[in-house]
Amino acid sequence: MTDPYQILVVDDDPSIVNIIETALTQAGYQVLTAGNGELACKLAGKHHPHLIIMDVMMPRCNGILATMRIRQDSNVPILILSAKAEGSDRVLGLEVGADDYLVKPFYQQELLARVKALLRRYDDLGSIRETKADGWLQVGSIALDLERKLLIVRGEPVRLTPTEFKILNVLMARPGRVYSAEELYERVWESDAYAVENTVMIHISRIREKLELNPKKPEYLKVVWGIGYVFEAP
């Protein structure tokens, strides 16, 4: 029997922490909690959780800064919680390395569904548990090592988040094939796509920063205007 997943819940509101902790515990997960971003960074470095649920507005290092710090050393999936419906926190969270977001207030079932999808993606990356694929995907001088879950850019290894790995896995498996933002979202996030263009675009932008010589003039990961995204050799 494999050990249960360990999830770090970070929020300065004890009532929110209690609600999330209860839901996750009942679903069979182990839970760590932190009331601020500074403690979250310490716990993440010490315990190496499988997933972090991170509030944005907190004292002593907010969720955005904490996400940036954790991303320097870890590819752990991070789910941002935001109380702002207008989207500024969500966009900023994705830009600094979060994998997904959830707006407060949220339904417990939706939280658990997002958690399950992110953990599946984490397993696919193979950071902790058994890898599920072997072989390589290669397009030009860009290669994706499916066994080690590693991106090789012109001979140099590059760190990927679980979401970035899965996006590249989809695109590089069929070079030259155009995927709409909605189709990418459904394949990678394993959820229905609704107004997802901005979320996908931010992740594509982050991937370009890692593999393109000039991200503003990409050679490999391109936009087909009005249709979607394609990965192909220059």
Side-chain angles (χ1 to χ4, degrees):
M1 180 178 177
T2 58
D3 294 332
Y5 291 103
Q6 186 177 69
I7 299 175
L8 174 59
V9 178
V10 190
D11 199 305
D12 64 332
D13 186 336
S15 63
I16 296 292
V17 171
N18 183 60
I19 290 171
I20 297 175
E21 182 177 13
T22 299
L24 293 175
T25 301
Q26 290 177 347
Y29 301 112
Q30 289 184 350
V31 180
L32 296 169
T33 64
N36 60 71
E38 185 176 319
L39 179 56
C41 292
K42 292 179 180 178
L43 291 177
K46 180 179 180 180
H47 296 280
H48 306 289
H50 300 90
L51 171 70
I52 298 174
I53 299 174
M54 180 83 71
D55 185 39
V56 173
M57 300 301 294
M58 294 184 296
R60 296 177 62 190
C61 181
N62 64 39
I64 301 299
L65 292 175
T67 297
M68 292 174 66
R69 286 168 57 180
I70 291 169
R71 268 293 168 260
Q72 292 175 1
D73 302 305
S74 174
N75 61 8
V76 59
I78 298 177
L79 174 64
I80 287 284
L81 297 181
S82 171
K84 296 183 179 180
E86 64 268 22
S88 57
D89 283 350
R90 303 198 299 271
V91 170
L92 188 55
L94 293 172
E95 286 179 341
V96 300
D99 294 274
D100 203 355
Y101 63 85
L102 197 56
V103 178
K104 299 179 184 177
F106 50 80
Y107 291 108
Q108 187 178 113
Q109 295 91 332
E110 183 178 7
L111 172 68
L112 292 175
R114 298 289 183 93
V115 166
K116 190 177 295 185
L118 284 169
L119 288 172
R120 274 200 301 268
R121 217 173 303 159
Y122 187 73
D123 271 350
D124 287 342
L125 188 60
S127 298
I128 297 295
R129 300 178 178 236
E130 180 183 1
T131 57
K132 298 178 179 177
D134 54 18
W136 290 76
L137 296 175
Q138 179 142 7
V139 180
S141 60
I142 309 298
L144 199 61
D145 184 337
L146 301 178
E147 185 172 352
R148 293 187 296 159
K149 312 302 178 185
L150 191 64
L151 177 66
I152 308 296
V153 179
R154 301 170 192 88
E156 296 295 325
V158 176
R159 182 194 299 272
L160 292 173
T161 69
T163 303
E164 293 164 354
F165 173 82
K166 196 161 185 180
I167 289 172
L168 280 176
N169 200 344
V170 171
L171 291 171
M172 292 180 66
R174 297 187 64 183
R177 203 270 210 190
V178 180
Y179 290 87
S180 68
E182 291 78 11
E183 186 176 4
L184 269 179
Y185 188 90
E186 289 174 354
R187 286 171 176 259
V188 173
W189 279 262
E190 300 178 22
S191 178
D192 292 339
Y194 175 74
V196 299
E197 291 84 358
N198 205 33
T199 298
V200 174
M201 178 185 68
I202 290 169
H203 283 87
I204 292 291
S205 178
R206 276 172 33 198
I207 293 171
R208 280 178 175 160
E209 293 287 340
K210 296 182 176 185
L211 64 82
E212 299 285 1
L213 291 173
N214 182 355
K216 293 183 178 180
K217 295 181 179 179
E219 295 180 306
Y220 287 93
L221 184 43
K222 303 172 186 176
V223 172
V224 180
W225 295 108
I227 302 177
Y229 300 94
V230 61
F231 201 102
E232 58 187 5

